[in-house]
Amino acid sequence: MPNSVPASIKRRLTQLKQEISAHRDRYYLLDDPILSDTEFDQLFAELLRLENQYPQLVTADSPSQRVGATPLSQFQLLTHVSPMLSLDNAFTKEEVLAFNRRIQERLKSQETIEYACEPKLDGVAVNLSYVQGTLQRAATRGDGQVGEDITLNIRTIQQIPLQLHGKNIPKYLEVRGEVYLPKKAFQRLNRRLSAAGEKPFVNPRNAAAGSLRQLDPKITAQRPLAFFAHSLGAIKEENLPPQHTLILQQFAKWGLPVCPQTQVAHTIEACLHYYQALAQERPNLPYEIDGVVYKVNSLAQQQRLGFISRAPRWAIAHKFPAEEATTRLLAIHFQVGRTGALTPVARLEPVLWGGLPSVIPPCGGCHS
């Protein structure tokens, strides 16, 4: 028979969960902690002790549920309430201007078109489902209609709230965003893997994807993943803010992290200026990006513009050119194949690639 729970214990558990969640937000979202690590650990230890004593009080939004679930044998599949579409790409200024002309022609009016400009993070797209403000499910994009259930792994990411806070929280909310690995965290992870004799990851995106697809969430919890919310999926709410950027502001009020580099552009020329400015700032950003996303800011205009089969007409990704680096040829060795054929192999000096130390692998077949 389960232990009866005194009212004072219930109140203390509620208080602990609120305090721990608030301190996590200050640490991971605001970068403004007011407790020492020791003080925080003491609060968390008290929470675990009380939940172990009264397991019937463990809830899905408890900070204790971020780590410790039983490993999965395989991922289940989840159907998205609204499709997770891809984006069309633009690689030149002319393609961006053509995108803007199509928007103007489809709207068939002289109304102002305002764009939300955002960095295109080089991470993994995910969908978070909140019911009554509590995180219930999380899934990968998959084929856009059906993705893999990664709920247990998503719970380990400290920046993602298990419980939304604030006013006017919808009964049901799907939040789309990007899970990524910050540059410094990527370097630390690879050093740790190398020291343990394990193969390091090639880039932060591969590291994020590999971490999210661990069947054991304890492994994912050891990876310093981060998250930015960037768009709205399904929602049960009539009074939506009228603009995409206002929705992002509402996300932030509910405790969801959003990218601080997001800006509003009132002309397509301002979008292109944002692109150039972010390209210059790219090496200094704490995360990897591979371009910029432009979205029509007005939700009413988005609705009128609609979609094609795989992408919205009201958004486009303006990709950066492929990064290049120059290195020095150290030596050329020759390998003898099974048939006796000689293959030259170049040994190249390591270079800094995208702001990260990178070793260019031997180049088989290079000719002097």
Side-chain angles (χ1 to χ4, degrees), residues 142-200:
D143 63 3
Q145 300 289 338
V146 178
E148 291 178 315
D149 185 344
I150 54 169
T151 306
L152 297 181
N153 290 343
I154 284 293
R155 287 180 180 276
T156 70
I157 300 176
Q158 302 292 344
Q159 286 183 314
I160 296 178
L162 301 181
Q163 178 70 46
L164 302 180
H165 54 76
K167 299 178 180 179
N168 303 317
I169 296 174
K171 294 180 180 179
Y172 181 81
L173 173 69
E174 282 188 352
V175 177
R176 273 74 193 271
E178 202 84 1
V179 170
Y180 66 97
L181 197 62
K183 291 178 182 177
K184 290 184 179 179
F186 171 70
Q187 295 174 31
R188 290 196 301 269
L189 174 60
N190 269 355
R191 285 196 295 267
R192 192 173 77 227
L193 291 173
S194 297
E198 300 179 40
K199 183 179 178 181

Side-chain angles (χ1 to χ4, degrees), residues 252-271:
K253 292 177 181 177
W254 288 332
L256 291 156
V258 296
C259 183
Q261 276 73 35
T262 298
Q263 292 183 11
V264 174
H266 299 285
T267 64
I268 197 64
E269 288 75 20
C271 290

Side-chain angles (χ1 to χ4, degrees), residues 71-365:
L72 301 173
S73 59
Q74 63 180 7
F75 290 107
Q76 302 298 315
L77 298 180
L78 287 179
T79 300
H80 305 307
V81 174
S82 61
M84 290 187 72
L85 302 178
S86 302
L87 290 175
D88 286 334
N89 293 325
F91 297 93
T92 66
K93 173 182 176 181
E94 290 70 27
E95 290 174 328
V96 173
L97 294 176
F99 161 73
N100 183 61
R101 283 195 299 273
R102 291 193 299 271
I103 296 294
Q104 292 175 322
E105 291 167 0
R106 287 190 173 276
L107 291 178
K108 296 179 180 178
S109 70
Q110 299 301 315
E111 60 191 282
T112 301
I113 301 171
E114 189 177 79
Y115 290 100
C117 303
E118 307 168 3
K120 186 178 183 298
L121 272 75
D122 197 12
V124 181
V126 298
N127 183 60
L128 311 180
S129 300
Y130 286 88
V131 178
Q132 302 290 355
T134 300
L135 178 65
Q136 293 292 331
R137 290 287 182 268
T140 60
R141 181 198 300 276
D143 63 3
Q145 300 289 338
V146 178
E148 291 178 315
D149 185 344
I150 54 169
T151 306
L152 297 181
N153 290 343
I154 284 293
R155 287 180 180 276
T156 70
I157 300 176
Q158 302 292 344
Q159 286 183 314
I160 296 178
L162 301 181
Q163 178 70 46
L164 302 180
H165 54 76
K167 299 178 180 179
N168 303 317
I169 296 174
K171 294 180 180 179
Y172 181 81
L173 173 69
E174 282 188 352
V175 177
R176 273 74 193 271
E178 202 84 1
V179 170
Y180 66 97
L181 197 62
K183 291 178 182 177
K184 290 184 179 179
F186 171 70
Q187 295 174 31
R188 290 196 301 269
L189 174 60
N190 269 355
R191 285 196 295 267
R192 192 173 77 227
L193 291 173
S194 297
E198 300 179 40
K199 183 179 178 181
F201 287 103
V202 175
N203 55 53
R205 188 192 185 284
N206 286 1
S211 300
L212 275 184
R213 298 199 77 258
Q214 293 290 330
L215 293 174
D216 186 351
K218 292 187 180 69
I219 297 177
T220 307
Q222 297 170 8
R223 308 282 172 81
L225 297 172
F227 172 80
F228 278 138
H230 60 53
S231 56
L232 175 69
I235 187 172
K236 290 186 178 178
E237 177 63 49
E238 295 296 328
N239 299 318
L240 278 177
Q243 296 176 333
H244 169 73
T245 48
L246 293 180
I247 288 177
L248 295 184
Q249 291 176 22
Q250 183 61 68
F251 281 173
K253 292 177 181 177
W254 288 332
L256 291 156
V258 296
C259 183
Q261 276 73 35
T262 298
Q263 292 183 11
V264 174
H266 299 285
T267 64
I268 197 64
E269 288 75 20
C271 290
L272 294 170
H273 178 75
Y274 174 88
Y275 172 88
Q276 293 296 337
L278 203 62
Q280 293 295 319
E281 183 63 20
R282 184 182 184 186
N284 302 320
L285 294 175
Y287 46 79
E288 288 289 337
I289 62 174
D290 58 3
V292 167
V293 177
Y294 309 129
K295 301 174 183 175
V296 172
N297 202 22
S298 165
L299 297 192
Q301 290 177 340
Q302 287 185 12
Q303 189 172 15
R304 287 160 57 194
L305 290 164
F307 304 82
I308 55 176
S309 59
R310 56 173 292 277
R313 290 193 178 98
W314 42 264
I316 198 165
H318 190 180
K319 303 295 284 292
F320 291 136
E323 289 191 285
E324 298 179 350
T326 301
T327 187
R328 188 164 63 94
L329 178 65
L330 299 179
I332 295 179
H333 305 284
F334 290 88
Q335 295 179 344
V336 181
R338 288 179 298 175
T339 62
L342 294 177
T343 301
V345 177
R347 298 291 173 181
L348 305 175
E349 187 176 67
V351 295
L352 203 65
W353 194 279
L356 299 175
S358 176
V359 177
I360 297 179
C363 180

